[in-house]
């Protein structure tokens, strides 16, 4: 178990794609760290570079107290779960789990013992003699996890390990994985496309864009206070309302309406400045009277609540409304921001 | 479910299959049976027995299996198959497919395919020009004029020749097979610390097992029945490179003993069958 420290890490693929651009990141010992970002932003590349499957173009990687930048993957003492699990089809579950131990020349009996222990822990005891082809997706995923656990590596790297599972199983696996990581206390880097997954599982997370890290923080921080408009529009199951506006004394003029300056930005704005006003639909409430007045143009069901779209001048503002209180189409209504949750961005960065 | 999906009826359906069956019968089954039949007669190319062959039972087979020349020839064929097909073509082909990348790979592929598609007559002429003792290219390159490769090392010559000739096929086949090995499996092994040999053993070979066996089956049979070495050494000197295909040609067509030659051919057919069944068994075995 060890911390992971990246300094100025850069990866340029042959052909000139800069997948990682001078990236700095410290993941403390025992942390569950999620990497999130749109497709092609360099998440997989970052993970593979840490594992040593890609060589860094510049910068350094430290795992624990060792500089591993120039080491072979096998010498780095990290274990990885691949998206397709990469189980060997010709070996049974026991041999698959014990494979890294076999390479490390651990005695056969010790290997089998260890595989059985880990397998039992993951509920695989009845499947130990089967081949991967005879297992369901969820079972294969547990075998892949077991193989990683049996290695007792310094760090675990997961590349979208849940993406092959169906929605139901994914929820189960999520909880399971989180609990397991807690118990083992191994530093874990987890790549995912699914922000709900990152928000639910990670101790801390990073949001990436084009090989850069745009924000690092706890899921709550990233959700509540996105550091820039990129993160703001990327995170959240319903996108954040981002409205152009201008500072007018101690109010903001947004979409033709006047809203109070949010608590977070109070005293830090100059009169006449151009800003972007950001507030999540979840932090807006719908009322007959309020600062942002408009007309209801769309009502979408989210299950237990409704997403109501208001047309405010030229702009659209989305509000979540609890079920049973959804407005009629065409009705005039207002959105009321929660003052402690509204945010102001200047030049794309949080004020 | 109906077994007659196209609604043709038995007669019309048979009519569609008949031409293929007739072709197979005329050109494959009938000659094979004819050879087996000839094998139990004393049929000759010329002379009395040519006009009126007699049934001689298993005599031909008995004399073949007790004939030193036949047994020597079988042993040479085994060497030829192991040396040029299994060790030569398969291992060299796999190594080339594994090691070469990018432009070099395409270049080498082009060269070896050329070796594969050129007609045997042309290729053997090229090799005679290469190995000729007085004005051969090889001796000139090595600076040892007068060294008689085909006389001093006839088996080595035809083994190298056939390896050169047939490596393209194995290389292409393994190239395609290697492309199917999932990269994540290799990477998973590398992360566990597996070295090159361990990656071969634990990831690559299990994945391409079927390709390896199919490849070995085909090239073993092709090499076993290959007649081209005759064009290089004519089985000589003194029978030192007389593999079975050449042996049959010599006894049956040069020696005129068609009955005896047919018996030897039948034995070759049986050996081929055994080899094929052996590989197919392995292929079908649970992985
Ligand atoms: N082997 C490669 N050669 C060249 N460019 C590559 C290679 N692999 C990835 N890239 C490029 O590097 C960038 C980052 O790719 P990467 O696979 O890390 O993205 P990602 O964040 O994992 O995306 P996704 O969420 O779709 O898996 C992309 O622009 C991609 O096209
Ligand atoms: Mg990826």
């Amino acid at each position: 178990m060890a911390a992971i420290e990246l300094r100025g890490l850069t990866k340029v693929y042959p052909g000139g794609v800069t997948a990682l651009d001078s990236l700095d990141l410290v993941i403390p010992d025992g942390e569950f760290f999620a990497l999130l970002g749109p497709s092609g932003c360099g998440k997989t590349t970052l993970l593979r570079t840490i594992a040593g499957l890609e060589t860094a173009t510049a910068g350094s990687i430290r795992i624990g107290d060792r500089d591993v930048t120039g080491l072979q993957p096998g010498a780095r003492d990290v274990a990885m779960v691949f998206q397709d699990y990469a189980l060997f089809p010709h070996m049974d579950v026991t041999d698959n789990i014990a494979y890294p131990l076999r390479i490390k020349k651990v005695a056969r009996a010790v290997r089998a013992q260890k595989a059985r222990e880990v397998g039992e822990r993951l509920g695989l005891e009845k499947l130990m003699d089967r081949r991967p082809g005879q297992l369901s997706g969820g079972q294969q995923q547990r075998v892949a996890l077991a193989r990683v656990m049996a290695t007792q590596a310094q760090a675990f790297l997961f590349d979208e390990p849940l993406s092959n599972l169906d929605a139901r199983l994914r929820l189960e696996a999520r909880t399971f994985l989180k609990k397991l990581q807690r118990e083992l206390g191994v530093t874990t880097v987890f790549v995912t496309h699914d922000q709900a997954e990152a928000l639910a599982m990670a101790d801390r997370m990073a949001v990436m864009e084009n090989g850069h890290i745009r924000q690092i923080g706890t899921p709550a921080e990233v959700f509540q206070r996105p550091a820039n408009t990129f993160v703001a529009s990327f995170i959240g199951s319903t996108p954040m309302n981002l409205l152009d506006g201008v500072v007018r004394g101690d109010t903001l003029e947004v979409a033709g309406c006047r809203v109070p300056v949010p608590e977070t930005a109070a005293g830090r704005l100059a009169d006449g400045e151009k800003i972007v006003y950001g507030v999540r639909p979840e932090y807006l409430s719908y009322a007959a009277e309020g600062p942002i007045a408009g007309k209801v143009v769309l009502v979408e069901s989210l299950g237990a609540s409704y997403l109501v779209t208001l047309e405010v001048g030229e702009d659209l503002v989305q509000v979540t409304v609890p079920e049973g209180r959804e407005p009629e189409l065409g009705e005039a209504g207002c959105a009321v921001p929660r003052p402690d949750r509204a945010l102001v961005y200047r030049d794309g960065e949080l004020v | 479910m109906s077994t007659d999906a196209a609604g043709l009826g038995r007669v019309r359906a048979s009519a569609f299959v008949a031409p293929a069956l007739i072709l197979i019968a005329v050109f494959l089954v009938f000659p094979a049976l004819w050879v087996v039949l000839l094998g139990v007669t004393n049929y000759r190319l010329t002379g009395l027995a040519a006009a009126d062959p007699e049934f001689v039972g298993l005599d031909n087979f008995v004399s073949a299996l007790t004939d030193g020349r036949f047994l020597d020839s079988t042993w040479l064929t085994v060497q030829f198959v192991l040396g040029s097909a299994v060790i030569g073509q398969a291992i060299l082909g796999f190594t080339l497919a594994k090691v070469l990348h990018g432009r070099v790979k395409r270049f080498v592929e082009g060269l070896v395919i050329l070796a594969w598609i050129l007609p045997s007559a042309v290729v053997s002429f090229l090799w005679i020009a290469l190995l000729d003792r007085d004005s051969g290219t090889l001796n000139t390159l090595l600076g040892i004029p007068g060294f008689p490769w085909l006389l001093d090392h006839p088996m080595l010559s035809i083994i190298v020749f056939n390896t050169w000739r047939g490596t393209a096929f194995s290389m292409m086949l393994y190239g395609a097979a290697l492309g199917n090995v999932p990269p994540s499996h290799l990477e998973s092994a590398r992360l566990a610390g597996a070295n090159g040999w361990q990656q071969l053993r634990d990831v690559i070979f299990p994945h391409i097992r079927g390709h390896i066996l199919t490849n070995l089956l085909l090239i073993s049979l092709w090499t076993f029945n290959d007649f081209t070495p005759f064009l290089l050494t004519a089985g000589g000197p003194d029978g030192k490179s007389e593999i079975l295909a050449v042996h049959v040609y010599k006894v049956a067509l040069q020696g005129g003993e068609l009955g005896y030659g047919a018996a030897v051919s039948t034995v070759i057919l049986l050996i081929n069958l055994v080899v094929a069944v052996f590989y197919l068994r392995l292929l079908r075995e649970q992985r």
Side-chain angles (χ1 to χ4, degrees):
Chain A
M1 275 143 271
I4 300 174
E5 201 177 319
L6 312 177
R7 290 277 168 242
L9 194 65
T10 301
K11 172 70 190 177
V12 181
Y13 279 112
V17 179
T18 306
L20 301 176
D21 195 355
S22 181
L23 202 131
D24 294 303
L25 179 63
V26 178
I27 303 170
D29 188 8
E31 189 167 78
F32 199 142
F33 192 87
L35 281 173
L36 195 62
S39 192
C41 69
K43 306 180 293 290
T44 299
T45 307
L46 179 55
L47 212 61
R48 292 171 56 85
T49 313
I50 296 176
L53 298 171
E54 306 284 352
T55 44
T57 313
S60 70
I61 306 164
R62 294 182 70 84
I63 297 175
D65 43 17
R66 287 193 308 161
D67 187 329
V68 300
T69 319
L71 293 186
Q72 284 295 310
R76 295 193 178 197
D77 208 9
V78 297
M80 186 156 171
V81 173
F82 292 84
Q83 190 170 347
D84 63 358
Y85 309 138
L87 300 176
F88 300 142
H90 60 287
M91 294 184 189
D92 64 18
V93 169
T94 307
D95 288 346
N96 262 295
I97 296 177
Y99 183 73
L101 301 176
R102 179 170 152 212
I103 294 296
K104 294 203 177 73
K105 303 220 159 46
V106 175
R108 179 180 289 273
V110 181
R111 263 169 18 210
Q113 168 67 20
K114 182 80 194 169
R116 205 171 326 115
E117 268 174 39
V118 177
E120 264 168 31
R121 178 134 185 214
L122 299 189
L124 295 167
E125 58 271 18
K126 295 215 178 62
L127 310 172
M128 296 304 276
D129 296 327
R130 295 218 204 151
R131 299 275 173 91
Q134 303 163 320
L135 299 177
S136 74
Q139 290 165 339
Q140 289 184 26
Q141 187 231 14
R142 277 184 284 156
V143 176
L145 278 176
R147 180 167 65 180
V148 158
M149 277 170 64
T151 59
Q152 290 170 331
Q154 298 284 322
F156 292 165
L157 308 172
F158 295 161
D159 192 359
E160 307 196 29
L162 307 186
S163 59
N164 283 347
L165 306 181
D166 68 43
R168 168 82 209 262
L169 209 56
R170 195 187 288 205
L171 276 184
E172 268 172 35
R174 201 201 262 183
T175 319
F176 176 77
L177 206 62
K178 172 85 185 163
K179 202 166 129 256
L180 193 68
Q181 198 270 344
R182 268 286 141 68
E183 286 167 16
L184 298 174
V186 179
T187 316
T188 303
V189 186
F190 186 99
V191 166
T192 174
H193 249 114
D194 181 348
Q195 40 176 309
E197 218 166 270
L199 293 172
M201 296 204 294
D203 296 324
R204 282 197 317 149
M205 60 192 278
V207 181
M208 292 181 66
E209 183 195 16
N210 288 335
H212 295 274
I213 290 183
R214 298 306 305 269
Q215 183 171 10
I216 302 182
T218 64
E221 278 166 15
V222 174
F223 185 77
Q224 288 164 9
R225 296 177 52 79
N228 45 59
T229 45
F230 170 76
V231 177
S233 56
F234 184 72
I235 296 285
S237 50
T238 51
M240 186 186 261
N241 296 299
L242 291 171
L243 306 166
D244 292 327
V246 183
V247 182
R248 296 271 183 247
D250 53 1
T251 60
L252 304 173
E253 187 183 316
V254 172
C257 307
R258 289 290 174 123
V259 295
V261 171
E263 288 167 13
T264 51
R268 277 186 272 173
L269 297 172
D271 199 22
E273 217 171 7
K274 278 195 189 321
I275 50 100
V276 171
Y277 181 76
V279 60
R280 287 200 183 284
E282 294 88 344
Y283 296 144
L284 283 172
S285 50
Y286 180 80
E289 295 277 302
I292 306 173
K295 197 177 81 173
V296 177
V297 291
L298 199 61
V299 178
E300 296 163 75
S301 170
L302 300 177
S305 61
Y306 282 84
L307 185 66
V308 176
T309 306
L310 295 173
E311 195 178 58
V312 183
E314 308 257 281
D315 294 291
L316 296 178
V317 176
Q318 293 188 310
V319 186
T320 47
V321 176
E323 63 177 331
R325 279 200 255 150
E326 66 273 16
E328 293 294 318
L329 275 184
E331 195 179 293
C334 297
V336 185
R338 248 177 84 174
D340 59 335
R341 284 287 180 263
L343 303 165
V344 175
Y345 295 92
R346 187 197 294 135
D347 300 328
E349 298 296 320
L350 186 65
V351 175
Chain B
M1 207 176 77
S2 163
T3 51
D4 186 10
L8 281 172
R10 185 173 292 270
V11 177
R12 279 197 294 165
S14 309
F16 276 102
V17 195
L21 285 182
I22 291 173
L23 283 177
I24 291 175
V26 170
F27 290 106
L28 291 173
V29 180
F30 175 70
L33 289 178
W34 188 239
V35 164
V36 175
L37 204 66
L38 278 186
V40 292
T41 68
N42 65 351
Y43 191 47
R44 289 188 54 87
L45 203 55
T46 53
L48 267 186
D52 187 17
E54 283 170 19
F55 176 76
V56 293
L58 292 179
D59 282 5
N60 285 330
F61 290 90
V62 173
S63 43
L65 293 176
T66 51
D67 178 10
R69 197 168 153 210
F70 170 78
L71 296 177
D72 283 350
S73 177
T74 309
W75 174 231
L76 287 178
T77 311
V78 170
Q79 290 176 17
F80 184 56
V81 170
L82 287 181
S84 73
V86 178
I87 297 180
Q89 297 177 11
I91 293 185
L92 183 65
F94 177 83
T95 312
L96 287 177
K98 180 87 182 67
V99 172
L100 299 180
H101 287 287
R103 211 173 286 167
V104 185
K105 177 170 188 156
R106 256 163 284 149
F107 179 71
V108 173
E109 260 174 13
L111 275 188
V112 291
I113 288 180
L114 211 59
W116 200 49
I117 58 172
L118 284 176
S120 304
V122 176
V123 162
S124 37
F125 179 75
L126 287 177
W127 272 73
I128 287 174
L130 175 74
L131 297 178
D132 189 79
R133 62 191 293 177
D134 293 322
S135 50
T137 318
L138 186 63
N139 284 351
T140 312
L141 281 180
L142 295 177
I144 43 169
F147 189 84
W149 287 101
L150 292 173
L151 292 180
D152 280 12
H153 301 285
M155 274 312 280
L156 182 67
S157 296
I158 63 172
I159 284 176
V160 172
F161 163 74
N162 192 48
T163 304
W164 175 85
R165 186 94 217 275
T167 301
F169 174 75
S170 301
M171 178 176 155
M172 303 291 283
L173 194 128
Y174 289 126
L178 287 174
N180 281 332
V181 177
S184 66
H185 288 208
L186 280 171
E187 288 169 348
S188 175
R190 275 174 69 201
L191 271 172
N195 59 29
W197 159 244
Q198 288 167 328
Q199 288 175 39
L200 275 183
R201 183 192 62 191
D202 299 328
V203 182
I204 295 182
F205 286 155
H207 260 286
I208 65 169
R209 185 172 173 278
H211 295 85
I212 295 178
L213 288 173
T214 309
N215 175 250
L216 288 180
L217 168 67
L218 290 175
I219 62 177
S220 298
L221 293 184
W222 288 340
T223 305
F224 201 97
N225 301 315
D226 188 17
F227 184 67
T228 324
F230 180 80
L231 303 178
L232 275 191
T233 64
D238 198 19
K240 274 197 220 136
S241 64
E242 190 174 300
I243 53 175
L244 280 172
V246 176
H247 180 65
V248 172
Y249 175 78
K250 286 196 153 178
V251 296
L253 296 172
Q254 291 187 344
E257 298 181 65
L258 287 182
Y260 179 72
V264 174
S265 298
T266 308
V267 175
I268 295 180
L269 194 73
L270 289 177
I271 297 177
N272 279 339
L273 270 179
V274 170
V275 172
V277 168
F278 170 73
Y279 280 125
L280 291 177
R281 269 275 166 83
L282 280 183
L283 204 56
R284 223 178 314 145
E285 219 167 67
Q286 246 281 310
R287 290 196 299 148

